[in-house]
Amino acid sequence: MAADCDVLISGAGPVGATLALALHAQGRGCQLVDAAPQPVQGDDRSLGLTTGSQRLLEGLGVWRHLRGAQPIRSLHISERGRFGRSHIHARDHGLDALGAVVPAQQLHDALAAELAARQIPLQRPAAIARMPLATPEAAPTPASAPCSAPAPAQAPGWRAVWLQQAAEDEAPALRARLVVGADGAQSAVRTALGIPRAVEDYGQVALVTQLDAARDPQGCAYERFDPGGPMAVLPRGGRRVGAIWMLPRRRAEAFAAGPIEDFVAAFQQAFGWRLGRLRAAAPLLRWPLSRVRARRLTGPRALLMGNAASAFHPIAAQGFNLALRDAAALARALGDAPDPGADAVLAAYEASRQADHQHVERLTDGLVKLYTQDLPGLSQLRSLGLYGLEVAAPLQRRLVARSAGLVD
Ligand SMILES: Cc1cc2nc3c(=O)[nH]c(=O)nc-3n(C[C@H](O)[C@H](O)[C@H](O)COP(=O)(O)OP(=O)(O)OC[C@H]3O[C@@H](n4cnc5c(N)ncnc54)[C@H](O)[C@@H]3O)c2cc1C
C-alpha cells in the first residue's frame, strides 16, 4: 500500500467499491481496505435499482457486466384480502422502465472486476485499528492517542492510519486526507469517530430465494402486503423470479430450518396464482433486519456512507439507491478541491444530503408502520392508499418519478 492517499475507503462492499470507482473517474487518488478475506459469494438477492442508479453504474462501466439485469416495465401493488390494488405501467408515464432488477451477486462481481481493471488498490483482509488526526508536518500522533480526538476549528491535515495486527511501535500504514467508513452496519470507522448510532431491531427476517414461475412476469415487479409480512416478486428474466418475504423472526427461522418446499407452498398461498405455480430454483437465504442510523454523517476528516451511515428495512428498496446518490454527491463535492477532507467540503456534502436522507427515512419508516403494524384503521388506510394510487394520476406520477430516481 502507498504511504499517503487522498481518500481511504474502509469497506469494499457495494457502496465502498462504487465510491472508489466514482472518485477514480475524477482522477482522485483513493485506496480501499476490507476486513473480509474474500469478496462476497452466494448473494442471491434481487436488488431493485432506480433509473438514476442505473445511469450512475452505466457511467462507471459497471452496468455492462450486469447481464442478468432486467427492466421493470410495471409495478403491481396489492394487499392480501383487501380491495385496493394498483398497477403502474412505465409506458403510461412515457418511460421505458420504472427501474431495474439486478442480481446482487453479479453486482458484487462487476464492481470487483472494475476495481481490478482500474488497478485501484484494495487490501484484504485489512481493517483500520486506529486513525488519529495528525498535522501535516508533525510526526504522526503517538499510538496511545485516542482515535476520536476532539475536532479543532479546522482538522489538521491527515488521518494517520494503523491497520490491525500492527505492532505498538510501528509507524502508521498510511496517511489519508479523508477516511470514508463504508464498512457496514457495525462500522469500525463510526466507532473510532465516536459517532453515536440508534439501532432498532425490527424483529423480522427477510427470506430470499429464486423461484421458477409457470408464467413469464413480462417485466412486472409485484409488491404484496400479506398480514404475515410484506413480500415482493421481481423479474429475473424469462420465468425466473426473485422472491423476498419479510416475516416475524420466529416464523422466518422455522421456514429457514425446514425444507424449502414448505416455504414455497406458504409463499404461493400468500402471493396467489397470478404467475401460476411457483417452484424453488435456489436455496433459501435469511437476512435479519434492523434499522441503524448514525447521528452524524461526518466527523473531522472522515465520513460515513451506506450501511455504516444508515441501514434501512428493505421494504422500499432504498438503501443502496440512496448510497449511490451519496457516492455521486461526494464525488461532485470533492470536485477538484485541493483538500478532500477540509471541514468546509464535508459540511457542504452533509448539508446537501440531508433532505434526501430524511425523505428515504420517512418513506421507509412510514411503509414499515403502515404494512407491518396491526393498528385500528391502518388496514383501511392501506386499501385507500393503494386504490388512491390507481385512480390519482398526479400521485402516481410523483411515485413513478421517485421510484425511477428522476427526482430526489
Ligand atoms: C434483504 C435485503 C434486500 C435489499 N434490497 C435492496 C434493494 O432492492 N434496493 C436497494 O437499494 N437496497 C436494498 N438493500 C440494501 C442494500 O443491501 C444496502 O444498502 C447495501 O448492501 C449497503 O452496502 P454497504 O457497502 O454499505 O454495506 P455492506 O454490504 O455491509 O458492505 C460492507 C463491507 O465492509 C466490510 N467491512 C466490515 N467491517 C469492516 C471493517 N471493520 N473494516 C473494513 N471493512 C469492513 C465488509 O467485509 C463488506 O465488504 C437490501 C438489503 C437487504 C438486507
Side-chain angles (χ1 to χ4, degrees), residues 217-268:
Q218 313 270 5
C220 180
Y222 295 87
E223 259 195 58
R224 185 157 171 81
F225 298 101
D226 177 71
M231 63 205 312
V233 169
L234 302 167
R236 291 280 298 245
R239 291 185 292 110
R240 178 62 58 90
V241 295
I244 177 168
W245 198 2
M246 292 151 260
L247 291 169
R249 186 175 293 121
R250 190 178 294 190
R251 186 160 183 227
E253 297 301 357
F255 280 132
I260 191 166
E261 288 71 22
D262 289 357
F263 170 79
V264 177
F267 193 93
Q268 175 95 63

Side-chain angles (χ1 to χ4, degrees), residues 10-16 33-36 40 45-49 108 124 126-128 182-185 188 206 208 244 287 289 305-308 312 314 317-322:
S10 174
V15 173
V33 289
D34 195 288
V40 171
R45 288 175 302 163
S46 307
L47 300 178
L49 298 193
H108 294 302
R124 64 162 75 232
I128 296 175
D183 47 356
V208 171
I244 177 168
W287 298 77
L289 301 178
M305 200 174 277
N307 277 348
F312 296 96
Q318 292 285 323
F320 186 51
N321 287 302
L322 176 71

Side-chain angles (χ1 to χ4, degrees), residues 162-218:
W162 277 264
L163 297 179
Q164 267 168 10
Q165 273 118 33
E168 267 295 291
D169 55 351
E170 225 171 90
L174 79 158
R175 297 185 309 172
R177 291 279 187 198
L178 172 66
V179 173
V180 176
D183 47 356
Q186 308 303 324
S187 172
V189 170
R190 186 182 57 218
T191 306
L193 293 169
I195 295 181
R197 64 174 184 159
V199 182
E200 182 191 341
D201 184 350
Y202 288 120
Q204 289 183 359
V205 173
L207 293 176
V208 171
T209 191
Q210 292 182 55
L211 303 171
D212 281 329
R215 280 197 288 282
D216 186 332
Q218 313 270 5

